[in-house]
Amino acid sequence: MYNIRTDLAVEARDIYKESSKLDSIPGIESEEDDRGNISITRVRVTNEEGERAIGKKPGIYITIETPALRGNNPDEAEKITNVLKDELTKILGDCEKKNVLVAGLGNSRITPDSIGPKTVSNLVVTRHLFSTMPHEFCDGLSHVCAIAPGVLGVTGIETGEIIRGVAERIKPDVIIAVDALASRKMERVSTTIQIADTGISPGSGVGNKRKALDRETLGVPVIAIGVPMVVDAATIAIDTIDALIGAMDNSTVLDNQKESLIRSVVSDTQTMVTPKDIDSIAERISKILANGINFALHKGLSAEEISVFTG
Amino acid sequence: MYNIRTDLAVEARDIYKESSKLDSIPGIESEEDDRGNISITRVRVTNEEGERAIGKKPGIYITIETPALRGNNPDEAEKITNVLKDELTKILGDCEKKNVLVAGLGNSRITPDSIGPKTVSNLVVTRHLFSTMPHEFCDGLSHVCAIAPGVLGVTGIETGEIIRGVAERIKPDVIIAVDALASRKMERVSTTIQIADTGISPGSGVGNKRKALDRETLGVPVIAIGVPMVVDAATIAIDTIDALIGAMDNSTVLDNQKESLIRSVVSDTQTMVTPKDIDSIAERISKILANGINFALHKGLSAEEISVFTG
Amino acid sequence: MYNIRTDLAVEARDIYKESSKLDSIPGIESEEDDRGNISITRVRVTNEEGERAIGKKPGIYITIETPALRGNNPDEAEKITNVLKDELTKILGDCEKKNVLVAGLGNSRITPDSIGPKTVSNLVVTRHLFSTMPHEFCDGLSHVCAIAPGVLGVTGIETGEIIRGVAERIKPDVIIAVDALASRKMERVSTTIQIADTGISPGSGVGNKRKALDRETLGVPVIAIGVPMVVDAATIAIDTIDALIGAMDNSTVLDNQKESLIRSVVSDTQTMVTPKDIDSIAERISKILANGINFALHKGLSAEEISVFTG
Amino acid sequence: MYNIRTDLAVEARDIYKESSKLDSIPGIESEEDDRGNISITRVRVTNEEGERAIGKKPGIYITIETPALRGNNPDEAEKITNVLKDELTKILGDCEKKNVLVAGLGNSRITPDSIGPKTVSNLVVTRHLFSTMPHEFCDGLSHVCAIAPGVLGVTGIETGEIIRGVAERIKPDVIIAVDALASRKMERVSTTIQIADTGISPGSGVGNKRKALDRETLGVPVIAIGVPMVVDAATIAIDTIDALIGAMDNSTVLDNQKESLIRSVVSDTQTMVTPKDIDSIAERISKILANGINFALHKGLSAEEISVFTG
């Protein structure tokens, strides 16, 4: 069947629930939380049964959802930043004085794939300051360094190889990987942040970022932060078919018929569906992600001091 | 009915033919031409009957079609440039020494809407050189000037007002307006150039560029050059429905049912479908458009000299 | 003599004072003001005698000076923004409900010359909203529109022609022209804002922006806001010579000797001296200029609302 | 004394010759070559005596000089590209099928420091294609991969650490490092390419790229390619003093007097002198460097094929 991948555990869970008609899935625990108009869902994959069901590795997947992420209201941006900071703080555990490597994945020249590199350029990077700055200055700061390794098609090197090479030299305690995600539903595009403690899985995101980035391959915990920025054009065709079939009770469409229909409509698989103002959305979301990380890692810095650092 | 506009006369003609089951449309003349893998269609709207049928003003609409426009083969780009130059030369008539104002319409900060401003930045602009350069230098050059007026949401001024204001001062003999277009079919996106001698009609393109730019409003001929860069996400839903209904003989879907189906699938009307590498496609197409114009207007310049001018 | 132009009235005054050994210049009135570490100087050229002395047209020239303009401290930026707003408010007089056209002069592709276009892109543009938005919404807003006309070398059209053409159509009550300036001293680069009610004079700025933009040519008051962003490389040579001569009491260097010396050192007149981080300085200064204008014109908007508008 | 560093061996040689009044320097061999208006100088530091004299490590330093490098004539660019290809081919030796890592050093957001990253983005990167493409396709191609590691102030990681980490994983046979250089004379800025087989020395370039990148630290040969893009503003002051003293026979200025003079003129050490159109110069030079590398490494590719690859 024409199968569209989602990087969001919460979507994978919902799709499984719908197709299996199950109310609860063995191996999957969920909890929901609200902070104003921001809803937080924590999906925990507790065992291999859960992994098989929704196709996500055991671990925790936190989804922060709000249409305000797409907007440009600075008040709302501050609220989302704070939620992100709090969730990150919990998932990072005691990060005081930790060495953190942030990797901004994706292609800086393809707008919807650029939030990783853009986030990195808004970080307060401090690792190089510790040897030269006075001791007091560094109170409340983590050792943060950051790279934007580029994508395979541009560098000729798997992203994972670059990160592993750098990590072997600088020995971080934890890696935070920021990336654009693929989602299944248009309404989640640029409205959802997912934080996972399971790293990045093969084939994630808009492009081709093969080879897992996780504790197994990198030797340290890998926290993944991502935002869906596009959906595949085929999702619209699939959703239309499903909606149409739902509307015509006694009709059925076979799966292979469905696939050929979709192929006929969406001829070019290299298309994507994005919001029209994706350029400015990508800028704003990258700032929110960067500041969530900045606040979570540098508890000693005020919003103002972070502005001074990041210009 | 949920009606998706197309800026392409050739598409409007095909849609009308299909729905009317007519083989030829009164008031519409068409001819086709091939140059290698580039197909050229000239649709002429000869009277008001033709205008009513396909919703395009009387005049000529030339469509240059080739998948190579989307690619990055410099040989192919040169061929397309030459076809564009030839068609432009014919439509401009005797342009030797003419004063030409090129207007690059659209929003330079929204990638698929940026080909107008990007084209302008690759033009050989000469108007200011004629007073200072030796006479021989100017042989074979037209007087070309160019502006990228910006869009209403950014300037607060209708594009047409800016162009009219500038045109009233510099008195061009002809205006060439370059713009991104909307098309009805994904396969035409970044594979089709339309040249029209009827100017730009209200509501064209990706954004909101109201108020006609044509001989009537500007007092001189307005040649429009455009390339479809996106389709509305709803087109995919509509095409899917049509394909599905075609596949299920005895089913019918009412128009209002269709519309609510589409609304349910494509919730956010501010979405668009584009090729994934729209950023580099927009760069390349802008260069082709600019060079087609450069060669058509500056018959005295070699490809090399144009490179020297445009850096 | 090798004469380096300054766009700053305060520098022209000081140079005249020094060479004439006069303490006060007939036709020139000055007053100084301090707000924290921001010093404000108001130089008024009251008659033609003053104009002849310092080469600036009769009118008021306000200089806001602070090294913080070059930095990236958001607190300091806010203070500078407020001073700019206050001075602009005074010079604009009653601007409530006025129609204001802001022109961002300069070349967006040459970083130190880009602050005009960059300022325009950070403005709250409202002119097009008045016809569609509810009446209450528009309380406390001026009618603001904005263009970045580009430079002669890129458009083939004098900047003044474009602005005049647009102004004739949209009939603004006042024009604000934002531009990069030339200064005589490196220490003023990116540390000084000049506001003048006399418009823009021929030859100002980094490039070639000929033809005056003033009340005489445009028919309405023209407020010029500028920041020096570069100095000519020759200024360094001149200053060195003067310093060296000052250090060697009994030596003299003739003016023509001086000029040939400078020519020998600064062979290429197309060089400029800028701060190393001119890219980020230009971004930040443009935001300060834009917000100074935004607050002066839209008294009804909070800082937050302005952020929402400008994204 | 106020000492301005040069990264160019040819300049260091000339400065030493002038101050030592020696015609030939022990441990330094030079040869000159001309190809049209392009002059090629090969300076060989043959032993430690030569190293002490001019402060450059033993090895070969090839300088390709032509004012055309700064211009935008495609014919001239092609000639320079060919010279660069030939010199690179000689210095690389047998590179057929070699694994090459190209590192684009410098800060992509500071224009004169961006030629390293910009060069990387114009390379034909092939390393990832060898496993998937047919054997014939890869004839005449080297295995090329490329990274732009960013600068210490942005990443928090020494450039050398990143390159070493990546090199340890991908085991290149040779590393090519591309970087902006500092020169002592304005006339060399954007007119000179230096190729050296000694890698990159500490403190090179515009910014702070500490820690050597050479065979010793990286384990494989490191070919450095660089172009001077700025001079320090102080060089103008120094040159002025020297010219002035030369013009006044019986005057002398003490070194410490000279230094305080320069300090008084060039207050801000964070200034640089660049050509006014540095933005477009940096674009064009990066393309020439990239194509010189592309042709040297991929002998099987035509100019056209390289265009197809690099878009």
Side-chain angles (χ1 to χ4, degrees):
Chain A
M1 207 197 88
Y2 210 102
N3 200 353
I4 296 193
R5 211 175 44 70
T6 175
D7 290 317
L8 295 176
V10 75
E11 274 190 348
R13 180 200 64 178
D14 292 349
I15 290 168
Y16 185 81
K17 269 191 186 170
E18 207 178 313
S19 68
S20 69
K21 318 283 180 200
L22 290 173
D23 243 20
S24 81
I25 311 173
I28 304 290
E29 293 168 8
S30 299
E31 68 175 50
E32 307 229 353
D33 215 346
D34 267 355
R35 275 173 65 178
N37 62 343
I38 303 171
S39 79
I40 305 164
T41 310
R42 298 184 193 87
V43 172
R44 189 177 292 274
V45 180
T46 56
N47 59 31
E48 290 190 4
E49 198 177 351
E51 182 178 4
R52 270 193 307 275
I54 72 166
K56 301 287 160 199
K57 286 196 291 191
I60 188 155
Y61 299 83
I62 301 159
T63 314
I64 300 169
E65 280 171 85
T66 171
L69 185 61
R70 188 184 286 190
N72 61 354
N73 185 316
D75 256 1
E76 297 292 335
E78 201 185 316
K79 280 179 207 158
I80 304 168
T81 304
N82 277 323
V83 171
L84 176 56
K85 179 197 76 177
D86 291 346
E87 296 299 323
L88 264 179
T89 299
K90 275 183 263 176
I91 212 167
L92 281 165
D94 176 28
C95 67
E96 292 277 312
K97 304 282 170 194
K98 268 198 178 163
N99 287 298
V100 183
L101 168 61
V102 184
L105 309 185
N107 188 337
S108 59
R109 292 165 152 227
I110 295 182
T111 309
D113 199 29
S114 67
I115 58 163
K118 282 204 178 82
T119 297
V120 154
S121 73
N122 285 298
L123 287 178
V124 176
V125 163
T126 53
R127 179 176 174 269
H128 57 309
L129 302 177
F130 279 79
S131 55
T132 56
M133 300 297 275
H135 185 69
E136 315 81 70
F137 175 84
C138 299
D139 273 2
L141 299 183
S142 295
H143 289 63
V144 176
C145 60
I147 54 168
V151 293
L152 180 64
V154 170
T155 63
I157 315 173
E158 295 281 356
T159 304
E161 284 187 281
I162 297 177
I163 295 175
R164 215 166 309 152
V166 173
E168 273 162 17
R169 291 210 66 81
I170 66 171
K171 310 283 183 205
D173 299 312
V174 60
I175 293 173
I176 297 176
V178 182
D179 201 2
L181 303 178
S183 82
R184 186 55 197 75
K185 283 188 191 307
M186 193 63 214
E187 70 199 44
R188 288 202 190 273
V189 166
S190 61
T191 63
T192 302
I193 302 170
Q194 177 175 275
I195 311 170
D197 65 358
T198 56
I200 303 265
S201 302
S204 295
V206 175
N208 296 303
K209 280 149 245 150
R210 278 158 287 179
K211 308 284 162 68
L213 300 174
D214 54 20
R215 184 193 283 263
E216 210 174 314
T217 57
L218 294 169
V220 293
V222 180
I223 309 298
I225 305 178
V227 175
M229 297 299 282
V230 301
V231 297
D232 195 299
T235 60
I236 295 181
I238 294 172
D239 291 352
T240 308
I241 291 173
D242 291 343
L244 189 55
I245 290 169
M248 304 181 302
D249 355 70
N250 57 352
S251 296
T252 52
V253 180
L254 300 174
D255 271 355
N256 64 343
Q257 200 178 358
K258 215 166 164 178
E259 189 172 347
S260 82
L261 270 169
I262 294 164
R263 290 249 161 89
S264 75
V265 173
V266 188
S267 55
D268 187 337
T269 58
Q270 291 303 307
T271 54
M272 58 183 182
V273 188
T274 66
K276 278 192 181 152
D277 51 345
I278 186 73
D279 299 74
S280 50
I281 288 175
E283 290 292 336
R284 290 194 299 260
I285 288 181
S286 303
K287 272 190 195 146
I288 289 174
L289 297 186
N291 279 333
I293 298 171
N294 286 333
F295 284 118
L297 296 177
H298 304 306
K299 293 284 194 302
L301 290 184
S302 64
E304 166 130 298
E305 287 165 326
I306 281 174
S307 288
V308 175
F309 262 103
T310 56
Chain B
M1 207 195 88
Y2 209 102
N3 201 353
I4 296 193
R5 212 174 42 71
T6 175
D7 289 318
L8 296 175
V10 76
E11 273 191 349
R13 181 200 63 178
D14 293 349
I15 290 168
Y16 185 80
K17 270 190 185 169
E18 207 179 312
S19 68
S20 69
K21 317 285 180 199
L22 289 172
D23 243 19
S24 80
I25 312 173
I28 305 290
E29 293 168 7
S30 299
E31 69 177 49
E32 307 229 352
D33 216 346
D34 266 356
R35 276 174 66 178
N37 62 344
I38 302 171
S39 79
I40 305 163
T41 310
R42 297 184 193 88
V43 172
R44 190 177 292 275
V45 180
T46 57
N47 58 33
E48 290 190 4
E49 198 178 351
E51 181 177 5
R52 270 193 306 276
I54 71 166
K56 301 287 160 199
K57 284 195 291 189
I60 188 156
Y61 300 84
I62 301 160
T63 315
I64 301 169
E65 280 172 84
T66 172
L69 185 61
R70 190 185 284 191
N72 60 353
N73 186 315
D75 256 1
E76 298 291 336
E78 201 184 315
K79 281 179 208 156
I80 305 168
T81 304
N82 277 323
V83 172
L84 176 56
K85 178 197 77 176
D86 292 346
E87 296 298 324
L88 263 180
T89 299
K90 275 183 265 176
I91 213 169
L92 281 165
D94 176 29
C95 68
E96 292 278 312
K97 305 281 169 193
K98 268 196 177 164
N99 288 298
V100 184
L101 168 62
V102 184
L105 309 186
N107 188 338
S108 60
R109 296 169 148 220
I110 295 181
T111 309
D113 198 29
S114 68
I115 60 164
K118 282 203 178 81
T119 297
V120 155
S121 73
N122 286 298
L123 288 178
V124 176
V125 164
T126 54
R127 180 176 174 269
H128 57 308
L129 302 177
F130 280 78
S131 55
T132 58
M133 302 296 276
H135 185 69
E136 314 82 69
F137 175 85
C138 299
D139 273 2
L141 299 183
S142 294
H143 289 63
V144 176
C145 59
I147 53 168
V151 293
L152 179 63
V154 169
T155 61
I157 315 174
E158 296 281 356
T159 304
E161 284 185 282
I162 296 177
I163 295 176
R164 214 166 309 153
V166 173
E168 273 162 16
R169 292 209 64 82
I170 67 172
K171 310 283 183 204
D173 298 312
V174 60
I175 293 172
I176 297 177
V178 182
D179 201 3
L181 303 180
S183 83
R184 186 54 197 75
K185 284 188 191 306
M186 193 63 213
E187 72 202 42
R188 289 201 188 273
V189 166
S190 61
T191 64
T192 302
I193 303 170
Q194 177 175 275
I195 311 170
D197 65 358
T198 55
I200 302 265
S201 300
S204 294
V206 176
N208 296 304
K209 282 150 243 150
R210 277 158 287 180
K211 306 284 163 68
L213 299 176
D214 55 20
R215 184 194 283 263
E216 208 174 315
T217 56
L218 294 169
V220 293
V222 180
I223 310 298
I225 304 178
V227 175
M229 297 299 282
V230 300
V231 296
D232 195 299
T235 62
I236 295 181
I238 294 171
D239 290 351
T240 308
I241 291 173
D242 291 343
L244 188 56
I245 290 169
M248 304 181 301
D249 353 71
N250 58 352
S251 294
T252 51
V253 180
L254 300 174
D255 271 356
N256 64 344
Q257 201 179 358
K258 215 165 164 178
E259 188 172 347
S260 83
L261 270 169
I262 294 163
R263 290 252 161 88
S264 76
V265 174
V266 188
S267 56
D268 187 338
T269 58
Q270 291 304 305
T271 55
M272 60 182 180
V273 188
T274 66
K276 276 191 183 154
D277 51 344
I278 187 73
D279 299 74
S280 49
I281 288 175
E283 291 291 336
R284 291 194 300 260
I285 289 181
S286 303
K287 273 190 193 145
I288 289 174
L289 298 186
N291 278 334
I293 299 171
N294 287 332
F295 285 118
L297 295 177
H298 304 307
K299 293 285 194 300
L301 290 184
S302 65
E304 167 130 296
E305 287 165 327
I306 281 174
S307 287
V308 175
F309 262 104
T310 56
Chain C
M1 207 197 88
Y2 209 102
N3 201 351
I4 296 194
R5 212 175 43 71
T6 175
D7 289 319
L8 296 176
V10 76
E11 273 191 347
R13 180 200 64 178
D14 292 349
I15 290 168
Y16 185 81
K17 269 191 185 168
E18 206 178 313
S19 69
S20 68
K21 318 284 180 200
L22 289 172
D23 243 19
S24 81
I25 311 173
I28 305 291
E29 293 168 7
S30 300
E31 68 175 49
E32 307 228 352
D33 216 346
D34 267 356
R35 274 174 65 178
N37 61 343
I38 303 171
S39 79
I40 305 163
T41 310
R42 297 183 194 88
V43 173
R44 189 178 292 276
V45 180
T46 56
N47 59 32
E48 290 189 3
E49 197 176 353
E51 181 177 6
R52 270 193 306 275
I54 72 166
K56 302 287 159 199
K57 285 194 293 190
I60 188 157
Y61 299 84
I62 301 159
T63 314
I64 301 169
E65 280 171 85
T66 171
L69 185 60
R70 188 184 288 192
N72 61 353
N73 185 316
D75 255 1
E76 297 292 336
E78 200 185 316
K79 280 179 208 158
I80 305 168
T81 305
N82 276 324
V83 171
L84 176 56
K85 179 197 76 176
D86 291 345
E87 296 299 323
L88 264 180
T89 300
K90 274 183 265 176
I91 212 167
L92 281 165
D94 176 30
C95 67
E96 292 277 312
K97 304 284 169 190
K98 267 196 178 166
N99 288 298
V100 184
L101 168 60
V102 184
L105 309 184
N107 188 337
S108 60
R109 296 169 147 220
I110 295 181
T111 309
D113 199 29
S114 67
I115 59 164
K118 282 203 177 82
T119 297
V120 154
S121 73
N122 285 299
L123 288 178
V124 176
V125 164
T126 53
R127 179 176 174 269
H128 57 309
L129 303 177
F130 278 79
S131 55
T132 57
M133 301 296 276
H135 185 69
E136 314 81 69
F137 175 85
C138 299
D139 272 3
L141 299 182
S142 294
H143 289 65
V144 176
C145 60
I147 53 169
V151 294
L152 179 64
V154 170
T155 62
I157 316 172
E158 297 280 357
T159 304
E161 284 185 282
I162 297 177
I163 295 176
R164 214 166 310 152
V166 173
E168 273 162 17
R169 292 209 66 82
I170 67 171
K171 310 285 183 203
D173 298 312
V174 61
I175 293 173
I176 297 176
V178 182
D179 201 4
L181 302 179
S183 84
R184 188 52 199 76
K185 284 188 192 306
M186 193 63 214
E187 71 199 43
R188 289 201 189 273
V189 165
S190 63
T191 63
T192 302
I193 302 169
Q194 177 174 277
I195 311 169
D197 65 358
T198 55
I200 303 266
S201 301
S204 295
V206 175
N208 296 304
K209 280 150 244 150
R210 278 157 287 179
K211 308 284 163 70
L213 300 175
D214 55 19
R215 184 193 282 264
E216 211 175 314
T217 58
L218 294 169
V220 293
V222 180
I223 309 299
I225 305 178
V227 175
M229 296 299 282
V230 301
V231 297
D232 196 299
T235 60
I236 295 181
I238 295 172
D239 290 351
T240 308
I241 291 173
D242 291 343
L244 188 55
I245 290 169
M248 303 180 302
D249 355 70
N250 57 353
S251 294
T252 52
V253 180
L254 300 174
D255 271 355
N256 64 343
Q257 201 178 357
K258 216 166 163 178
E259 189 172 347
S260 82
L261 270 169
I262 294 164
R263 290 249 160 91
S264 75
V265 173
V266 188
S267 57
D268 187 338
T269 58
Q270 292 303 308
T271 54
M272 58 183 181
V273 188
T274 66
K276 277 192 181 151
D277 51 345
I278 186 74
D279 299 74
S280 49
I281 288 175
E283 290 292 335
R284 290 194 299 260
I285 288 182
S286 302
K287 273 190 194 145
I288 289 174
L289 298 186
N291 278 333
I293 298 172
N294 286 333
F295 285 118
L297 295 178
H298 304 306
K299 293 285 194 301
L301 289 185
S302 64
E304 165 129 298
E305 287 165 326
I306 281 174
S307 288
V308 175
F309 262 103
T310 57
Chain D
M1 206 196 89
Y2 208 102
N3 201 352
I4 296 193
R5 213 176 40 72
T6 175
D7 290 317
L8 296 175
V10 76
E11 273 190 348
R13 181 200 64 177
D14 292 349
I15 290 168
Y16 185 80
K17 269 190 184 169
E18 207 179 312
S19 68
S20 69
K21 317 284 180 199
L22 289 172
D23 243 17
S24 81
I25 311 173
I28 305 290
E29 293 168 7
S30 299
E31 67 175 50
E32 308 229 351
D33 216 345
D34 267 356
R35 275 173 67 177
N37 62 344
I38 303 171
S39 79
I40 305 163
T41 310
R42 298 184 192 87
V43 172
R44 190 177 292 275
V45 179
T46 57
N47 57 32
E48 290 190 5
E49 198 177 352
E51 181 177 4
R52 271 193 305 275
I54 72 166
K56 301 286 159 199
K57 286 195 291 190
I60 188 157
Y61 298 84
I62 301 160
T63 314
I64 301 169
E65 280 172 84
T66 171
L69 185 61
R70 189 185 286 190
N72 60 353
N73 186 315
D75 256 1
E76 298 291 336
E78 201 185 316
K79 282 178 207 159
I80 305 169
T81 304
N82 277 323
V83 171
L84 176 56
K85 179 198 76 175
D86 292 345
E87 296 299 324
L88 264 180
T89 299
K90 274 182 267 177
I91 213 168
L92 281 165
D94 176 29
C95 68
E96 292 278 313
K97 304 284 168 192
K98 268 198 177 163
N99 288 298
V100 184
L101 168 61
V102 184
L105 309 185
N107 188 338
S108 60
R109 296 170 148 219
I110 294 181
T111 309
D113 199 29
S114 67
I115 60 164
K118 282 203 177 82
T119 297
V120 155
S121 73
N122 285 298
L123 288 178
V124 176
V125 164
T126 54
R127 179 176 175 271
H128 58 308
L129 303 177
F130 279 79
S131 55
T132 57
M133 301 296 276
H135 186 69
E136 315 82 69
F137 175 85
C138 299
D139 273 3
L141 299 183
S142 294
H143 290 64
V144 176
C145 60
I147 54 168
V151 294
L152 179 64
V154 170
T155 63
I157 315 174
E158 296 281 356
T159 304
E161 285 186 280
I162 296 177
I163 295 175
R164 214 166 309 153
V166 173
E168 273 162 16
R169 292 210 63 82
I170 66 171
K171 311 284 184 203
D173 298 312
V174 60
I175 293 173
I176 297 176
V178 182
D179 201 3
L181 303 178
S183 83
R184 186 55 197 75
K185 284 189 190 306
M186 193 62 213
E187 71 200 42
R188 288 201 190 274
V189 166
S190 62
T191 63
T192 302
I193 302 171
Q194 177 174 276
I195 312 171
D197 65 358
T198 55
I200 301 266
S201 301
S204 294
V206 175
N208 295 305
K209 282 149 244 151
R210 278 158 286 179
K211 306 286 163 66
L213 299 175
D214 54 20
R215 185 194 282 264
E216 209 174 315
T217 56
L218 293 170
V220 294
V222 179
I223 310 298
I225 305 178
V227 175
M229 297 299 283
V230 301
V231 297
D232 195 298
T235 61
I236 295 181
I238 294 171
D239 291 351
T240 307
I241 291 173
D242 291 343
L244 189 56
I245 290 169
M248 305 182 301
D249 353 73
N250 59 352
S251 293
T252 51
V253 179
L254 301 174
D255 270 356
N256 64 345
Q257 200 177 358
K258 216 167 164 176
E259 190 173 344
S260 83
L261 270 169
I262 294 163
R263 290 250 161 89
S264 75
V265 173
V266 188
S267 56
D268 186 338
T269 59
Q270 291 304 305
T271 54
M272 59 183 180
V273 187
T274 67
K276 276 190 183 157
D277 50 346
I278 186 72
D279 299 75
S280 49
I281 288 175
E283 290 292 335
R284 291 194 300 259
I285 288 182
S286 303
K287 272 189 194 146
I288 289 174
L289 298 186
N291 278 334
I293 298 171
N294 287 333
F295 285 119
L297 295 177
H298 304 306
K299 293 286 194 298
L301 290 184
S302 65
E304 166 130 296
E305 288 166 326
I306 281 174
S307 287
V308 176
F309 262 104
T310 55

